[in-house]
Amino acid sequence: METKVSAVGGDSRVITIFDTTLRDGEQAPGCSMNQAEKLEVAKRLESMGVDVIEAGFAIASPGDLASIREIARVVRGSVLASLARSVELDIDAAWEALRGAERPRIHTFIATSPIHMEYKLRMKPDEVVERAVEMVRYARKRCPDVEFSAEDASRSDPAFLCRVFTAVIEAGASTVNMPDTVGYATPNEYAALVRAVRAGTPNIGAAALSVHCHDDLGLAVANSLAAIEAGADQVECTLNGLGERAGNAALEEIVMAMRTRRDVIGARCGVDSTQIYAASRLVSAVTGVRVQPNKAIVGENAFAHESGIHQHGVLANAKTYEIMTPESIGLPRNRMVLGKHSGRHAFDERLSELGFRFDTERTARLFEAFKALADKKKTVNDRDLEALARDAAPERPEEWKLERFIINSGSTITATSAVRLVSAGRGAEARRVESVATGDGPVDACFNAIDKIVGSGATLEDYSVDSVTGGKDAQGEARVRLAREGRAYNGYGVSTDVIEASVRAYVDAINAMVAETASVDDIPATDRSA
Ligand code: KIV
Ligand code: ZN
């Protein structure tokens, strides 16, 4: 069993970073990711030095279980956790998903606040303690590393919380977590709860004390930092602050606050901050959730100095208005512009400066797409490259590829489109299929034609088109979200022609759906019933 317990005070405390982008983050509406996307995010988290990656909630769906299992097979550097309610079936599913991991952790939870116990669980406090202990013991028989969370801890009676923690640590929990589940706490209050738990849990020294904050009042990061200062050992967070409702504490803000204000916070962590920008862009790309421009650390404007006074100050001495450098999060200071005369070397170098690490085949495909774009567009900047990287080099297998489309549309005629797709055929012969459909405008007509070909049975939940950069020759990036049987599938497409971008995004979402169905088909039937 591995426990990381830090001493309070001084500069030597190392905080364990527990990332739950793939579990709590994925629970946010419209943030679902497919298996290949989750694996890509997990690999990035591992490479950044994140200590614990919560890879999912195995019992939630066969797709979740399959994704955790795949991440467990590939990711070696970080501890891998799966969430489980305090019931045997959940813990069995979590263990089933994690058993191949080098460093597995079962994360089990039960609510401890009066309102949750009475109305949600319909259990008496004594029954909650008994269940928590029983399930921690049950989990420990399978896995040496067990974390216990007291859901809604911030609205629980502190004395009862200490009683539960004492009992579960005695039963073998090596981490105890005190979530502010509904984002209700304030920094002073939450810090006081950390101190109360430390003081009132006699065996707390045998476990790490974790905090997990939601952002309903916009206080998640402030609460997490206050908790760290008060003696928390582990902080649970997500990239871009994704998560239920208003989200979770943002990893990038916590890491950079500890780095920038170590003088007052007195703690640090092992995350390589120079990978933050690339990780943030990746999560935004795979979830289809854009980062607001003024978002701290990773927003488009976070390092932009617009006003003359600020620009003058920064030119004289960057520290006048810059409390951290763009390079410290992996954002190149100079926005380099490439064009059709740029060679492979400059292209490869810029990709790597932007934090992309693709294999040779993917990089070659991307270079071809870059050349094609540079023929249409005078200059190709970093945002163009990021968009291309997402579109031209997807991680997952592509069941369907767009070969061509033709549209006939105008203000006085019904839009008609003919779309031709090529199917990889999953082991069988590739085939070309063409379909014609009408619609309410050219995009609708194209989507209808694709539906006729693939017969997905999905509904279009969301569709948007934005321009990647300014200018008449800008690329349009389209995002599509399809829904089927309660699951959402995101698609992304980019082109200087917005109809083409839309069609590519729609086909991409279909491919996400096919890939997930395929990954679930790979799970033995016995596991699927878990
Ligand atoms: O917010 C919460 O309480 C949680 C727990 C399940 C850890 O996400
Ligand atoms: Zn949560």
Side-chain angles (χ1 to χ4, degrees):
M1 181 200 336
E2 187 171 326
T3 39
K4 225 180 198 177
V5 185
S6 59
V8 183
D11 184 60
S12 61
R13 297 177 59 222
V14 180
I15 302 300
T16 300
I17 301 292
F18 176 118
D19 179 278
T20 181
T21 307
L22 297 174
R23 197 279 298 168
D24 219 327
E26 214 224 3
Q27 276 171 227
C31 285
S32 64
M33 297 168 239
N34 63 42
Q35 185 170 315
E37 290 163 343
K38 284 184 183 174
L39 183 59
E40 201 174 347
V41 172
K43 285 201 275 190
R44 172 60 76 174
L45 291 169
E46 178 193 27
S47 119
M48 289 170 82
V50 163
D51 302 284
V52 187
I53 301 172
E54 186 157 60
F57 191 3
I59 195 75
S61 76
D64 273 47
L65 193 143
S67 297
I68 301 168
R69 184 179 282 172
E70 181 58 9
I71 293 169
R73 197 180 63 76
V74 175
V75 167
R76 284 351 239 169
S78 312
V79 172
L80 278 193
S82 171
L83 189 67
R85 286 167 300 183
S86 285
V87 292
E88 289 181 3
L89 211 60
D90 279 36
I91 293 172
D92 290 344
W95 183 236
E96 193 50 48
L98 287 171
R99 62 191 323 153
E102 193 177 69
R103 301 165 73 198
R105 172 181 294 186
I106 294 178
H107 177 192
T108 187
F109 73 99
I110 193 164
T112 52
S113 64
I115 187 164
H116 276 237
M117 290 190 289
E118 183 175 348
Y119 294 100
K120 187 181 81 172
L121 299 174
R122 295 185 191 287
M123 287 168 80
K124 297 268 175 263
D126 285 351
E127 291 171 320
V128 167
V129 180
E130 199 181 318
R131 172 77 70 80
V133 166
E134 232 178 84
M135 289 305 110
V136 166
R137 282 210 187 101
Y138 187 82
R140 269 303 304 272
K141 283 200 190 119
R142 282 143 192 84
C143 184
D145 183 352
V146 173
E147 171 168 338
F148 171 81
S149 281
E151 191 189 12
D152 207 15
S154 55
R155 293 194 297 169
S156 303
D157 168 23
F160 181 62
L161 194 59
C162 294
R163 181 179 157 206
V164 176
F165 283 169
T166 307
V168 295
I169 294 169
E170 176 68 33
S174 40
T175 303
V176 287
N177 181 30
M178 38 173 281
D180 181 25
T181 303
V182 290
Y184 183 71
T186 65
N188 286 342
E189 187 187 26
Y190 198 55
L193 189 60
V194 168
R195 285 190 287 267
V197 166
R198 281 219 169 274
T201 310
N203 52 0
I204 194 71
L209 180 57
S210 175
V211 291
H212 174 120
C213 298
H214 281 269
D215 208 30
D216 299 67
L217 292 173
L219 293 172
V221 170
N223 286 340
S224 305
L225 295 174
I228 290 172
E229 283 188 53
D233 304 298
Q234 171 177 288
V235 63
E236 305 194 356
C237 46
T238 59
L239 283 162
N240 299 342
L242 287 187
E244 284 269 3
R245 307 180 311 279
N248 288 57
L251 177 146
E252 62 277 10
E253 295 178 27
I254 291 171
V255 170
M256 291 312 288
M258 281 199 283
R259 200 186 132 128
T260 310
R261 296 312 312 275
R262 199 156 135 196
D263 54 334
V264 288
I265 299 170
R268 63 198 157 90
C269 68
V271 170
D272 169 10
S273 69
T274 65
Q275 295 194 45
I276 282 179
Y277 178 71
S280 161
R281 301 299 310 177
L282 172 66
V283 168
S284 170
V286 299
T287 56
V289 177
R290 299 191 112 193
V291 175
Q292 76 193 56
N294 59 331
K295 163 87 179 63
I297 317 293
V298 290
E300 189 76 18
N301 299 342
F303 290 93
H305 300 281
E306 202 69 33
S307 90
I309 297 173
H310 286 207
Q311 283 171 351
H312 175 77
V314 169
L315 287 175
N317 179 341
K319 286 190 177 149
T320 49
Y321 286 101
E322 216 173 69
I323 57 164
M324 54 202 156
T325 63
E327 291 87 350
S328 65
I329 64 153
L331 181 64
R333 187 176 288 267
N334 305 314
R335 299 228 154 216
M336 191 198 267
V337 171
L338 300 174
K340 67 178 173 190
H341 300 298
S342 305
R344 180 66 191 261
H345 181 71
F347 173 79
D348 284 1
E349 196 149 303
R350 196 58 183 171
L351 270 192
S352 113
E353 277 167 5
L354 289 171
F356 292 108
R357 283 158 310 171
F358 296 143
D359 60 24
T360 328
E361 196 204 310
R362 257 179 112 182
T363 313
R365 242 187 307 149
L366 197 52
F367 187 62
E368 266 175 45
F370 157 71
K371 281 290 185 190
L373 178 64
D375 266 341
K376 293 189 204 159
K377 205 172 173 284
K378 259 200 297 245
T379 54
V380 178
N381 70 19
D382 292 344
R383 289 286 291 116
D384 285 317
L385 277 186
E386 284 166 17
L388 271 192
R390 172 86 189 114
D391 183 59
E395 238 326 78
R396 77 173 94 88
E398 291 180 282
E399 173 68 19
W400 295 99
K401 276 197 166 89
L402 172 69
E403 188 169 280
R404 67 168 199 194
F405 71 95
I406 301 163
I407 48 167
N408 187 19
S409 179
S411 57
T412 53
I413 56 167
T414 303
T416 311
S417 103
V419 179
R420 188 189 286 172
L421 302 183
V422 184
S423 154
R426 277 222 237 157
E429 288 275 292
R431 59 196 172 97
R432 283 195 160 70
V433 196
E434 183 146 22
S435 185
V436 178
T438 56
D440 186 8
V443 172
D444 190 42
C446 289
F447 289 0
N448 289 341
I450 297 168
D451 281 343
K452 276 186 167 177
I453 296 172
V454 301
S456 67
T459 50
L460 180 63
E461 253 200 356
D462 201 11
Y463 161 63
S464 65
V465 184
D466 295 287
S467 108
V468 173
T469 55
K472 247 167 67 177
D473 60 355
Q475 297 193 92
E477 60 182 352
R479 291 183 169 83
V480 160
R481 188 160 68 239
L482 296 176
R484 192 177 68 182
E485 292 164 7
R487 296 282 299 168
Y489 304 92
N490 293 312
Y492 180 84
V494 64
S495 168
T496 46
D497 172 343
V498 291
I499 310 276
E500 182 179 337
S502 307
V503 173
R504 295 176 73 89
Y506 200 83
V507 173
D508 192 43
I510 298 276
N511 283 333
M513 190 179 305
V514 175
E516 176 158 303
T517 317
S519 70
V520 171
D521 286 349
D522 292 342
I523 310 174
T526 47
D527 295 348
R528 268 188 261 159
S529 61

